[in-house]
Amino acid sequence: TVRRKKSISIEEKIDIISAVESGKKKADIAAKYGIKKNSLSSIMKNKEKVLEAFETLRFDPKRKRLRTAFYADLEEALMKWYRIAQCLKVPVNGPMLRLKANDFAQKLGHSDFKCSNGWLDRFKSRYGLVFRAQPVEAAATTTVDAPTLWYQNVLPYYLNDYQPKNVFHIQETGLLYQMLPHNTFAFKGETCSVGKLSKERITVVVGTNMDGSEKLPLLVIGKNRSPRSFKDVKSLPVDYEANDRAWMTPEVFEQWMHKLDVRFQAQQRQVVILVDPLAAHTEVKNLKSIKLVFFPPDSSSCIAMKQGVIRSLKVKYRHCLIKRFVDCVEGNKEFTLTLLDAIEMLNLCWREVTPQTIVKSYNGAGFKLETETNGNDKEVESALDLIAHAQAAGVEFPEGLSLEEYAALDDDLVTDEVPTNNGMMCAKESVSDKAGTFFGDEDEDEDENEGDQFQGAEQALPSKNEALSALDTLRKFLRSQDTDDCLYDSLDDLENFI
């Protein structure tokens, strides 16, 4: 009799790969799962495909074969829609899937496709989808343990195959860049996507590597592609994009990924970039140096990173904003803050976020990087000293509001778009949406350039002679200080550039 070849599920293959990676003997592993050594070798040879299938939840973990469907693009679109519905806790059933499948087929140009009962059954079997007539909270799904399995099996694979300096994580946050302490009562809990407040909001995207040795240039998304403060500006210290809502969109995300890919190609590096599972974060094709990996839905790592790197950046930014305002008050000058000013302040604060803060964020997110870090992440002034100084200068700082709480007031701002059931894009609602309580929409049609209150009068560009004179002033100041020689080198570089 011919011995029948044993079939191994994807979930079991993941366990086998993990066992081999951990250094266990292949003979013992093969014996445990009842397979031959050449079968184990085949699994290891195809580990990229197995891990990718499990990582993207393209297949049921209990499934034994990785055969793909004829309408692969349709199935990919349908599964993305299904995962978004899961994230939004929207109940999905067979008739809804059939309707969306036919809709996607029409949009993708598959005129010969019709979602029959047989095709739908095979699709549900391929992806392990089970629908039962019971409350949504109790509905059975085969991917309940998927996030846990992802952290146990998929993430370690990337951490083993990539050095910490080549493992990156990116996240976005909303920022009300002109928000002073005495304005905070009107901002807390706002979604801020329409009305007066939305004119001074931006989305900031941050990216760091795992060992804290590299910070990606900030990506700032505003509402106006050519704000008045950008006049005659030919370069910025950050990447800048714009759309009507100042949100991350699939188009902006794809364009930024390709720009980063060119950067890493020039450095001859292969990196992995971990991103949150948001609708705006889509698969990006033709990346040569970047492996894009998505966290599972409701990932605790995303929260831990926001409470680390992003919080540090925001605290430093608010610190600079208050100091700038206090300096104007004490100097009897009008306070002005343009979008360009905010971008330059953000870039300065981003440079001050320390490797220690970054490594701590990754460790808090469960990466457990074994790296010794020296020094402390210190502010120029303590938060209490700054608040006391601001209050002494007449800044209305709400009683009991700490600098960290002040920095976190805009954490719930909308930063990306989410598809609704009718295919349109809308904002994610925050817990409390009170925009209409404080502000109306009577100024909705006014020019975007007027949205920057505190804009100030336009200033003429300095001439070369004025720039050189300013450098001389800086040199005189440095001579009076106990400072590093590298600052003089920087001034020399500036003079050569001018």
Side-chain angles (χ1 to χ4, degrees):
T1 59
V2 178
R3 182 182 177 185
R4 187 177 179 183
K5 183 178 179 180
K6 182 176 180 181
S7 295
I8 301 293
S9 70
I10 298 174
E11 193 171 15
E12 288 174 320
K13 289 177 181 177
I14 289 287
D15 291 337
I16 290 171
I17 292 170
S18 297
V20 173
E21 296 281 358
S22 67
K24 293 182 180 178
K25 292 183 179 180
K26 291 183 179 180
D28 294 341
I29 299 171
K32 177 180 177 181
Y33 289 91
I35 59 175
K36 296 180 179 179
K37 287 186 179 180
N38 60 348
S39 297
L40 188 148
S41 298
S42 296
I43 292 173
M44 295 305 297
K45 182 179 179 181
N46 294 302
K47 73 173 184 177
E48 286 275 2
K49 292 181 180 179
V50 175
L51 286 163
E52 182 183 1
F54 185 82
E55 166 206 328
T56 57
L57 304 181
R58 290 174 56 216
F59 297 91
D60 177 11
K62 304 295 182 185
R63 195 175 170 204
K64 296 179 172 62
R65 303 185 71 182
L66 295 177
R67 181 178 296 165
T68 54
F70 181 70
Y71 299 101
D73 56 347
L74 189 154
E75 294 205 359
E76 181 182 359
L78 193 57
M79 275 307 296
K80 282 184 179 178
W81 174 84
Y82 177 74
R83 287 201 295 268
I84 290 171
Q86 278 189 313
C87 292
L88 297 175
K89 302 191 186 305
V90 175
V92 177
N93 53 31
M96 286 177 66
L97 269 184
R98 180 180 289 108
L99 186 66
K100 292 304 297 184
N102 286 326
D103 182 44
F104 282 129
Q106 184 179 6
K107 291 178 180 178
L108 293 169
H110 298 305
S111 56
D112 59 337
F113 175 84
K114 185 177 180 181
C115 185
S116 63
N117 288 334
W119 185 92
L120 188 61
D121 288 341
R122 289 191 296 273
F123 173 80
K124 291 192 293 184
S125 175
R126 274 193 290 273
Y127 294 92
L129 306 183
V130 179
F131 305 123
R132 296 199 174 120
Q134 56 183 2
V136 176
E137 291 77 11
T141 64
T142 59
T143 57
V144 170
D145 295 326
T148 301
L149 290 172
W150 189 92
Y151 279 100
Q152 289 176 349
N153 300 301
V154 177
L155 182 59
Y157 160 71
Y158 291 109
L159 299 186
N160 288 334
D161 273 28
Y162 291 83
Q163 294 179 337
K165 69 177 183 178
N166 291 326
V167 177
F168 287 81
H169 177 227
I170 65 171
Q171 255 189 332
E172 51 257 18
T173 184
L175 179 69
L176 297 167
Y177 66 87
Q178 294 175 344
M179 184 174 67
L180 291 167
H182 57 268
N183 297 133
T184 54
F185 72 94
F187 291 95
K188 192 171 185 180
E190 298 292 336
T191 58
C192 197
S193 58
V194 295
K196 285 184 178 178
L197 292 187
S198 65
K199 303 272 178 86
E200 60 170 282
R201 56 108 354 115
I202 54 178
T203 292
V204 182
V205 189
V206 305
T208 64
N209 65 350
M210 194 171 164
D211 65 3
S213 62
E214 185 174 357
K215 290 173 283 190
L216 298 177
L218 293 175
L219 170 62
V220 176
I221 307 170
K223 294 174 70 70
N224 192 339
R225 185 161 296 279
S226 301
R228 187 164 53 193
S229 59
F230 283 17
K231 184 179 179 181
D232 296 321
V233 173
K234 295 183 179 179
S235 64
L236 292 170
V238 303
D239 292 326
Y240 182 78
E241 296 291 340
N243 55 60
D244 291 342
R245 300 285 188 176
W247 287 344
M248 173 64 82
T249 65
E251 295 76 20
V252 171
F253 180 73
E254 182 174 355
Q255 184 176 340
W256 194 47
M257 283 298 107
H258 279 296
K259 185 171 184 177
L260 291 176
D261 194 51
V262 171
R263 171 193 177 100
F264 289 123
Q265 283 184 62
Q267 298 172 357
Q268 297 184 329
R269 294 168 66 186
Q270 291 295 318
V271 305
V272 58
I273 295 184
L274 303 164
V275 297
D276 302 345
L278 303 177
H281 296 166
T282 56
E283 294 283 354
V284 181
K285 297 180 180 179
N286 301 320
L287 294 175
K288 297 179 180 179
S289 287
I290 293 176
K291 171 66 177 175
L292 205 55
V293 177
F294 297 88
F295 280 112
D298 301 321
S299 171
S300 59
S301 294
C302 305
I303 300 173
M305 296 297 283
K306 276 199 171 183
Q307 292 175 344
V309 174
I310 288 179
R311 181 56 47 82
S312 175
L313 174 63
K314 281 191 168 185
V315 167
K316 293 176 188 300
Y317 179 82
R318 298 295 184 207
H319 192 285
C320 286
L321 184 63
I322 295 174
K323 286 191 67 177
R324 184 185 180 107
F325 183 71
V326 170
D327 289 343
C328 288
V329 171
E330 293 180 337
N332 198 26
K333 299 177 182 178
E334 180 185 1
F335 176 71
T336 62
L337 187 77
T338 66
L339 178 57
L340 181 60
D341 295 330
I343 284 175
E344 290 174 341
M345 281 171 53
L346 274 170
N347 184 60
L348 177 65
C349 295
W350 185 228
R351 291 177 59 183
E352 295 298 319
V353 174
T354 65
Q356 291 81 14
T357 296
I358 296 170
V359 170
K360 186 177 179 180
S361 295
Y362 276 93
N363 284 335
F367 287 72
K368 305 303 179 188
L369 179 66
E370 296 179 2
T371 300
E372 292 292 331
T373 57
N374 299 315
N376 297 315
D377 185 11
K378 295 181 178 179
E379 297 290 345
V380 179
E381 295 178 33
S382 72
L384 291 176
D385 287 345
L386 177 67
I387 293 173
H389 188 188
Q391 289 175 331
V395 179
E396 300 173 27
F397 214 102
E399 185 177 354
L401 184 71
S402 69
L403 189 61
E404 278 215 358
E405 291 169 334
Y406 168 43
L409 284 172
D410 50 12
D411 278 359
D412 290 332
L413 286 180
V414 175
T415 58
D416 75 309
E417 53 190 15
V418 174
T420 60
N421 286 334
N422 61 10
M424 301 294 288
M425 307 305 288
C426 73
K428 293 184 295 184
E429 294 185 6
S430 68
V431 176
S432 175
D433 182 7
K434 301 176 289 182
T437 304
F438 296 103
F439 301 95
D441 297 332
E442 66 274 10
D443 294 328
E444 191 67 15
D445 295 328
E446 70 183 49
D447 182 19
E448 280 299 328
N449 278 321
E450 300 302 322
D452 279 345
Q453 57 186 9
F454 314 138
Q455 189 75 303
E458 292 186 24
Q459 297 181 353
L461 289 177
S463 66
K464 284 190 176 182
N465 287 336
E466 289 173 328
L468 290 171
S469 176
L471 283 179
D472 287 338
T473 302
L474 284 172
R475 282 195 179 92
K476 291 177 183 177
F477 174 76
L478 288 181
R479 292 188 198 112
S480 67
Q481 307 294 317
D482 182 13
T483 187
D484 200 300
D485 290 342
C486 67
L487 292 178
Y488 287 101
D489 293 337
S490 297
L491 289 181
D492 291 338
D493 290 339
L494 282 172
E495 184 171 10
N496 290 332
F497 172 77
I498 296 172

